[in-house]
Amino acid sequence: MNVDWDSLRAAANDMAARAYAPYSGYPVGAAALVDDGRVVAGCNVENAAYGVTLCAECGLISSLVAGGGGRLVAFTCVNGEGTVITPCGRCRQLLFEHGGRELVLETPAGFRTLDEMLPQGFGPADLNAFD
């Protein structure tokens, strides 16, 4: 699948501008291409109870599932200045669940598969081993 990284980054920047980040002051936007050609996106939504803050990737995955599901094939996220950043460990796990090892991430160091970013990731196949 051909990936228009500029368009994905623009969607992520649009989401970062919509972020609710009054506590950290660090807006994040994320966007991903789905295997059916859709683009899904999300922004971080903070909360005074920090533990229930939602990362941008949480919103993106919610949009994916609410829109009918599918597999993520390409992903990017940016901060409020438009700089490409990498997802945290928790969010890498979310992306693994819905994109798998082959998901391509744009990172500050170039393009990497999720397998490179989350080596030996734990996913649905690991649970299926006990069926």
Side-chain angles (χ1 to χ4, degrees), residues 5-16 29-32 39-42 76 78:
W5 289 100
D6 290 333
S7 291
L8 272 186
R9 217 171 305 106
N13 276 303
D14 182 52
M15 287 290 104
V39 171
V40 291
T76 191
V78 299

Side-chain angles (χ1 to χ4, degrees), residues 86-117:
T86 58
C88 69
R90 171 183 169 223
C91 290
R92 291 177 196 193
Q93 183 65 38
L94 286 170
L95 294 169
F96 185 83
E97 183 88 10
H98 297 277
R101 299 181 190 287
E102 304 82 24
L103 173 61
V104 177
L105 287 76
E106 182 178 33
T107 77
F111 299 100
R112 303 284 189 268
T113 64
L114 190 52
D115 193 43
E116 293 173 287
M117 299 296 293

Side-chain angles (χ1 to χ4, degrees), residues 44-94:
N44 59 324
V45 179
E46 295 181 347
N47 189 285
Y50 294 130
V52 295
T53 289
L54 300 174
C55 296
E57 295 83 348
C58 295
L60 183 148
I61 296 300
S62 291
S63 179
L64 172 71
V65 173
R71 299 296 291 168
L72 301 175
V73 296
F75 170 88
T76 191
C77 63
V78 299
N79 64 21
E81 296 177 343
T83 303
V84 173
I85 58 175
T86 58
C88 69
R90 171 183 169 223
C91 290
R92 291 177 196 193
Q93 183 65 38
L94 286 170

